[in-house]
Amino acid sequence: MTGDRRDWPLYEVFLRGKRGLNHVHVGSLHAPDDAFALSHARDVYTRRNEGVSIWVVRADAITASSPDEKDPLFAPSGDKVYRHPTFYEIPADVPHM
Amino acid sequence: MTTTPMPPTEAALQASFDATIAHHDRIEPRDWMPEGYRKTLIRQIAQHAHSEIIGMQPEGNWISRAPSLRRKAILLAKVQDEAGHGLYLYSACETLGVSRAELVELLLAGKQKYSSIFNYPTLSYADVGTIGWLVDGAAICNQVPLCRTSYGPYGRAMIRICKEESFHQRQGYELLMTMMRGTDEQRAMVQESVDRFWWPSLMMFGPPDDASPNSEQSMAWGVKRNSNDELRQKFVDMTVPQAEALGVTLPDPDLRWNAERGHHDFGEPDWAELTAVIRGNGPCNAQRMAHRRAAHENGAWVREAATAFAARTAQEAQR
Ligand SMILES: [Fe+2]
Ligand SMILES: [Fe+2]
């Protein structure tokens, strides 16, 4: 790694707001290595008690779906209305359904 | 500049674990936890995961013989969901330091169990409805309180699962309602199916509290939030009015409302039957395990092909 900041890799930052919740993506930052990324994430994203746990992961380690693929990926579930509980008509007087 | 802090003592770690539990807070994967807690969770979550996967079989049996395309699409979607539930739970279990491959091996070697209910056969299409109504209904009763279990990844998996289970229960009940509006023969099929599944559904909550030795510790750790008997009672109270609305009789002569308790009284399930099924002597235990083993072995080439393809792609990318 060179000393030039432009070469620092991009990291994505995930925070767990409190115990029991999922880590949620909050943003990103550049850092020279994993340890710096973690401490910068602490400084940038948790100054007001926003988290009890931080994950940082190099952005180039993430494989993401591309917007162009939106249709082939997600359209197939669009017409499967029967996957939703509201598809089934059950009289309102049947309790606990 | 940097000083290495003294590692906390075991007593301090235990105290902080106990405080988290006492606050009804969640334990997360990187927290210290007592070995017994970890072991209990691995056993329970793995058993739960195996149940989702083995649970695909009784209903999967009917996919190719569904009475209409509509019912086929619904059943396929439901069984597909159960595979997903198994995956959520195996992943939650892996955060405790075991691998999914190990868990699958333990299941196939008969060293870990799955829910007794899946060792009963599905004899008619009405069973698809009954399973959705009673078996998924009982599972929901069990799983809703587990959304607040003390281990974070398990609770979060349960939240996802419970959201999906609602469709399972409703499609089952709607199927039965449709059959009850049909011919006498169809109504008789529904009643016959309910007769077979009622008692095994009650057994899904496990042995009675005084015969459930691990329950107390699980409750103290917040792994379980309600006792077996509490949940069983809740299920009976929920189900009775649903059975009335459907027009079926639940096969228990002792089932009646007890105004004093504010709950239904009901008969004693045959615990000897539950013990026998858990020990491997239910009607379908051998068949379920043989099918799972065969599916695992017959799927080996898919796993091998995927690995080979990934290796080749990586090699080509290097060139
Ligand atoms: Fe499920
Ligand atoms: Fe289900």
Side-chain angles (χ1 to χ4, degrees):
Chain A
M1 191 68 42
T2 72
D4 189 338
R5 224 171 42 164
R6 280 171 308 184
D7 296 332
W8 290 0
L10 183 68
Y11 283 83
E12 299 298 337
V13 181
F14 299 78
L15 286 186
R16 186 199 298 292
K18 62 180 219 194
R19 281 170 180 277
L21 300 181
N22 284 305
H23 284 82
V24 174
H25 184 246
V26 289
S28 50
L29 49 77
H30 289 272
D33 67 14
D34 295 357
F36 272 109
L38 197 58
S39 75
H40 291 341
R42 195 271 315 263
D43 295 344
V44 177
Y45 291 106
T46 66
R47 292 191 310 283
R48 288 176 185 76
N49 260 333
E50 288 93 336
V52 295
S53 166
I54 307 174
W55 285 349
V56 289
V57 58
R58 276 181 66 147
D60 60 13
I62 294 176
T63 308
S65 62
S66 90
D68 311 340
E69 289 169 328
K70 193 173 156 280
D71 279 351
L73 279 181
F74 305 117
S77 72
D79 61 351
K80 295 184 177 54
V81 281
Y82 48 82
R83 284 180 178 160
H84 298 271
T86 43
F87 180 71
Y88 303 93
E89 257 179 61
I90 289 175
D93 59 345
V94 179
H96 311 295
M97 277 286 183
Chain B
M1 258 206 26
T2 44
T3 54
T4 319
M6 287 278 287
T9 62
E10 172 119 1
L13 292 166
Q14 177 77 49
S16 119
F17 173 86
D18 291 343
T20 305
I21 298 287
H23 275 111
H24 297 287
D25 238 335
R26 303 292 185 269
I27 303 296
E28 294 293 349
R30 303 203 50 183
D31 294 336
W32 181 90
M33 60 189 87
E35 212 31 50
Y37 180 80
R38 184 188 300 274
K39 280 205 182 112
T40 297
L41 276 168
I42 290 176
R43 198 190 56 222
Q44 179 170 334
I45 302 174
Q47 180 167 330
H48 201 155
H50 300 328
S51 301
E52 303 283 354
I53 299 298
I54 299 280
M56 296 164 75
Q57 291 184 40
E59 291 180 287
N61 175 38
W62 284 96
I63 292 175
S64 60
R65 290 172 290 162
S68 67
L69 186 56
R70 180 181 184 272
R71 291 293 169 196
K72 185 172 184 161
I74 293 169
L75 184 55
L76 201 55
K78 192 213 176 218
V79 173
Q80 191 182 23
D81 273 359
E82 305 299 2
H85 296 175
L87 296 191
Y88 304 157
L89 287 161
Y90 283 127
S91 307
C93 205
E94 285 191 306
T95 64
L96 292 159
V98 282
S99 73
R100 178 171 149 195
E102 280 172 73
L103 298 174
V104 169
E105 266 165 40
L106 287 167
L107 171 70
L108 295 183
K111 289 181 183 157
Q112 279 181 343
K113 301 204 177 303
Y114 56 88
S115 175
S116 55
I117 190 75
F118 302 118
N119 291 314
Y120 292 87
T122 43
L123 305 179
S124 80
Y125 209 82
D127 288 358
V128 171
T130 308
I131 288 177
W133 174 38
L134 295 180
V135 175
D136 289 89
I140 291 170
C141 246
N142 244 328
Q143 290 171 352
V144 167
L146 283 177
C147 294
R148 294 178 295 113
T149 190
S150 61
Y151 188 56
Y154 189 26
R156 292 191 287 276
M158 289 322 317
I159 290 171
R160 279 192 81 90
I161 290 176
C162 284
K163 271 190 200 149
E164 299 181 358
E165 286 295 345
S166 168
F167 138 56
H168 297 182
Q169 192 189 24
R170 288 176 69 97
Q171 65 82 32
Y173 195 80
E174 189 236 35
L175 191 163
L176 296 180
M177 278 194 343
T178 308
M179 289 185 77
M180 292 302 282
R181 284 194 300 266
T183 62
D184 284 346
E185 209 184 348
Q186 286 175 307
R187 275 186 286 278
M189 273 171 81
V190 173
Q191 183 63 56
E192 189 274 335
S193 172
V194 170
D195 288 346
R196 273 184 291 113
F197 273 96
W198 174 248
W199 292 107
S201 301
L202 292 189
M203 293 177 199
M204 283 175 70
F205 297 94
D209 292 349
D210 51 24
S212 181
N214 300 323
S215 280
E216 207 176 320
Q217 179 62 74
S218 278
M219 303 262 288
W221 276 330
V223 172
K224 279 176 79 162
R225 294 291 189 193
N226 302 89
S227 80
N228 296 354
D229 287 334
E230 274 168 35
L231 292 170
R232 192 166 9 247
Q233 178 73 61
K234 196 172 163 219
F235 175 68
V236 171
D237 290 338
M238 274 173 49
T239 308
V240 168
Q242 295 170 352
E244 274 165 21
L246 191 59
V248 295
T249 312
L250 297 173
D252 178 359
D254 298 323
L255 183 63
R256 63 181 60 85
W257 177 250
N258 181 330
E260 218 167 283
R261 290 201 308 125
H263 290 291
H264 292 86
D265 290 338
F266 57 99
E268 190 82 3
D270 180 354
W271 299 123
E273 177 181 318
L274 177 62
T275 310
V277 175
I278 290 175
R279 291 219 176 114
N281 299 320
C284 300
N285 296 58
Q287 183 188 335
R288 301 292 183 239
M289 288 302 291
H291 185 93
R292 182 89 283 279
R293 253 181 229 114
H296 189 69
E297 282 159 22
N298 296 339
W301 72 269
V302 181
R303 298 187 289 274
E304 282 158 20
T307 310
F309 181 75
R312 202 188 73 192
T313 313
Q315 212 173 37
E316 277 167 6
Q318 268 178 5
R319 268 188 223 135

